[in-house]
Amino acid sequence: MKDIVIEGLWKSFGEKTVLHDFSAVLPAGTTTGLMAPSGAGKTTLLRILMGLESSDRGTILGLEGLRLSAVFQEDRLCENLNPVSNLRLVTPSLSRKEAEEALRAVGLTDCLKQPARELSGGMRRRVAILRALLADYDLLLLDEPFKGLDQETKETVMADTRRRCAGRTVLFVTHDQTELEAMGAVSRLTL
């Protein structure tokens, strides 16, 4: 595994420049935190890394051949599938028992058979996080993943997330300094 190197990235939407000559290194096998005010280009950067947007200028080295997984700001669950089926959708080799154990680890026990559309926002969020963590990936992109979780649940989910992504390359976007510390971010970026 190698570092991901971002050099001189620019991105504008009309007259508004959201990324202005941004450069950074995401060290392989570590968690990098990214903090910036709303509208500064954090989500745009993640979308460029995922190939969902293209930059106006600049280069990104080290993404070739990498498998990506992501937690978006929206949960993006399949509404008619239950939590177990949502997890197994992206990781078909995951057994039902393994999926249920992963869900229990983040406090989801009484909703395993409910369709996602009937889950609370916090429950949906935990399923979305687990779905990304259980996928087979080399680079994990987390866009404010713990937003909307109460403090106790957030601490449980952050501990589980940190354990599951240990030794992998992670870019973690947040507005909360304590989340960066809890996730063990070894380097921190700002836009």
Side-chain angles (χ1 to χ4, degrees):
M1 194 182 312
K2 49 189 173 171
D3 295 347
I4 296 166
V5 180
I6 302 165
E7 296 177 339
L9 214 58
W10 290 76
K11 180 64 179 177
S12 296
F13 295 98
E15 298 295 315
K16 181 172 171 65
T17 300
V18 292
L19 292 174
H20 182 270
D21 198 24
F22 178 74
S23 296
V25 174
L26 307 180
T30 66
T31 296
T32 300
L34 175 60
M35 292 183 72
S38 294
K42 300 179 301 294
T43 298
T44 299
L45 174 62
L46 295 185
R47 290 179 58 79
I48 291 170
L49 289 168
M50 286 184 268
L52 300 174
E53 296 275 351
S54 56
S55 63
D56 298 331
R57 289 197 307 251
T59 59
I60 302 173
L61 305 171
L63 285 179
E64 307 82 23
L66 292 187
R67 298 161 299 173
L68 279 68
S69 188
V71 176
F72 297 89
Q73 288 185 22
E74 315 81 29
D75 298 323
R76 300 186 182 195
L77 299 177
C78 293
E79 296 293 318
N80 293 324
L81 296 181
N82 64 38
V84 171
S85 296
N86 263 288
L87 297 183
R88 294 183 71 203
L89 185 66
V90 297
T91 312
S93 63
L94 189 71
S95 73
R96 179 169 191 80
K97 182 181 177 192
E98 291 168 323
E100 289 175 355
E101 287 172 1
L103 290 160
R104 284 189 189 97
V106 294
L108 293 173
T109 55
D110 298 332
C111 65
L112 301 182
K113 295 184 179 178
Q114 287 179 262
R117 70 178 176 278
E118 295 177 7
L119 301 178
S120 71
M123 291 173 165
R124 293 173 59 86
R125 198 74 192 136
R126 287 177 274 172
V127 175
I129 292 167
L130 275 175
R131 188 177 56 187
L133 289 170
L134 295 172
D136 197 10
Y137 65 88
D138 302 302
L139 172 62
L140 178 63
L141 302 169
L142 301 172
D143 195 356
E144 299 184 44
F146 311 118
K147 189 167 117 182
L149 297 178
D150 64 74
Q151 191 59 39
E152 183 179 344
T153 301
K154 183 193 291 190
E155 289 172 11
T156 298
V157 175
M158 283 191 299
D160 188 66
T161 301
R162 184 174 179 177
R163 180 180 61 81
R164 290 182 188 278
C165 65
R168 303 225 191 160
T169 307
V170 178
L171 179 56
F172 172 49
V173 171
T174 183
H175 288 286
D176 188 334
Q177 181 70 33
T178 59
E179 288 182 4
L180 286 180
E181 292 164 9
M183 285 293 294
V186 296
S187 58
R188 296 176 185 169
L189 308 173
T190 55
L191 288 174

